[in-house]
Amino acid sequence: MGLLDRLRSAISGPRLIDELAILAGQSEGLVNRLRRHAERALYLGIAQGVREIAEKEAAHEKTLRHILAEHGLWPRPTEEVPHEGSNVWERLSGDLAILLAFAQELHRHAMRWEGENPELGETLKKIADEASDDEFELRRLVAKLDPQALD
């Protein structure tokens, strides 16, 4: 990175690709959480549903890793470890919040990439849309665990 690049980065903030590395790290952490929580789920149907969501999100993580590798970067792990939860409902509710925030941020990021690299912007939009679908499915699974949702 040359002097001008450093100055430009200092003035304009982090580059889009650096922000994508942060999102990829969040995706990686989410996939690990979902897999771990699927193993601890008491009901087979819930566990299977969470595993399926984890595998879909793992495909997204793989795509993000590939994009970053083309730019010589790797996913940045998150600095803060979210609370695990004391029961299945609390763990999956935490996963749901992380997935929702990830999908929203990825949608915003996709729009920002449209001006820089339309093809990459479209890929990110597709991942964000699929993550939103996964968020809906996880929300449905969490609702099955919440005793208040059965009223």
Side-chain angles (χ1 to χ4, degrees):
M1 179 185 262
L3 180 61
L4 290 177
D5 290 331
R6 288 184 194 160
L7 288 173
R8 193 175 301 124
S9 177
I11 293 169
S12 65
R15 298 178 309 163
L16 281 175
I17 196 69
D18 293 330
E19 292 176 11
L20 189 59
I22 294 169
L23 283 172
Q26 291 172 355
S27 176
E28 185 177 82
L30 175 63
V31 169
N32 291 336
R33 279 179 62 97
L34 286 168
R35 286 178 175 160
R36 202 169 48 249
H37 296 163
E39 296 306 315
R40 295 184 69 190
L42 301 174
Y43 303 107
L44 294 177
I46 300 291
Q48 183 60 33
V50 174
R51 273 190 215 98
E52 289 171 6
I53 293 168
E55 292 314 308
K56 290 177 190 175
E57 289 304 311
H60 297 158
E61 175 194 353
K62 184 177 178 182
T63 302
L64 293 174
R65 274 183 174 275
H66 179 73
I67 292 167
L68 290 173
E70 289 175 348
H71 291 88
L73 295 173
W74 298 100
R76 289 192 190 148
T78 56
E79 296 174 10
E80 187 177 303
V81 178
H83 177 66
E84 281 291 313
S86 57
N87 58 42
V88 177
W89 179 82
E90 191 176 3
R91 285 187 284 275
L92 294 182
S93 292
D95 296 344
L96 178 61
I98 293 169
L99 182 55
L100 175 62
F102 172 74
Q104 289 174 340
E105 187 58 34
L106 199 55
H107 270 109
R108 282 192 282 280
H109 207 68
M111 288 188 294
R112 292 174 62 200
W113 271 100
E114 285 177 353
E116 297 282 328
N117 183 335
E119 183 179 321
L120 181 55
E122 187 60 36
T123 299
L124 294 176
K125 183 180 180 320
K126 182 178 183 260
I127 293 171
D129 289 343
E130 291 173 2
S132 292
D133 293 343
D134 292 342
E135 180 257 326
F136 176 79
E137 286 301 314
L138 187 56
R139 184 178 305 279
R140 195 176 56 76
L141 293 171
V142 169
K144 288 181 179 181
L145 294 170
D146 183 6
Q148 303 304 318
L150 299 176
D151 286 345

